[in-house]
Amino acid sequence: MTAYAIAHLHPADGPVEDEVLSYIERVQATFEPYGGRFLVHGTEVDVVEGAWPGAVVMVGFPGVAEARAWYASPAYQEILPLRTRHLDGDMVIVPGVGPEYDASATAAAMRAARDRTAQEV
């Protein structure tokens, strides 16, 4: 099942540091061996609800195992400080859903779990 590495990077004060530019130049080569590819990168965000200061980056992988292997890889860990020294942010790895996914079934399971918990209390 497809997985995604999603980063929310917060804006830095001042101009973009050379280390951040070096990170950007090198990062794609670190995830390509794991089947990763940029899905969102370097684009403006259109905030339609809430606040979203900063940028979003999304990389797609064939699965969660590949995304985790990329993040833990020596190649990525080597360049990661180039970004983290200058940009605050958050990154998550999440599994995608397949074409058979049904949100109403998820809601029903959540409702049943909530109701079981309420009965136990």
Side-chain angles (χ1 to χ4, degrees), residues 65-90:
E66 292 87 351
R68 288 182 178 152
W70 159 72
Y71 189 84
S73 72
Y76 186 64
Q77 290 300 306
E78 178 184 326
I79 68 166
L80 182 57
L82 300 176
R83 177 180 57 80
T84 59
R85 279 194 286 262
H86 305 285
L87 294 175
D88 290 330
D90 305 293

Side-chain angles (χ1 to χ4, degrees), residues 34-101:
Y34 300 92
R37 68 179 187 88
F38 277 118
L39 301 174
V40 177
H41 190 245
T43 59
E44 294 289 322
V45 296
D46 182 10
V47 180
V48 296
E49 288 186 37
W52 192 279
V56 64
V57 176
M58 187 180 329
V59 179
F61 289 90
V64 170
E66 292 87 351
R68 288 182 178 152
W70 159 72
Y71 189 84
S73 72
Y76 186 64
Q77 290 300 306
E78 178 184 326
I79 68 166
L80 182 57
L82 300 176
R83 177 180 57 80
T84 59
R85 279 194 286 262
H86 305 285
L87 294 175
D88 290 330
D90 305 293
M91 182 179 292
V92 296
I93 294 173
V94 296
V97 297
E100 73 287 349
Y101 178 76

Side-chain angles (χ1 to χ4, degrees), residues 9 13 16 20 22 28 31 39 47-48 51 53 56 68 76 93 100 109 114 117 120:
L9 303 176
D13 295 330
V16 178
V20 173
S22 180
Q28 189 168 347
F31 58 69
L39 301 174
V47 180
V48 296
V56 64
R68 288 182 178 152
Y76 186 64
I93 294 173
E100 73 287 349
R114 179 201 62 194
T117 302
E120 294 170 2

Side-chain angles (χ1 to χ4, degrees), residues 17-31:
E17 297 288 336
D18 283 338
E19 283 191 334
V20 173
L21 296 172
S22 180
Y23 170 89
I24 293 168
E25 291 167 344
R26 297 169 58 188
V27 69
Q28 189 168 347
T30 68
F31 58 69

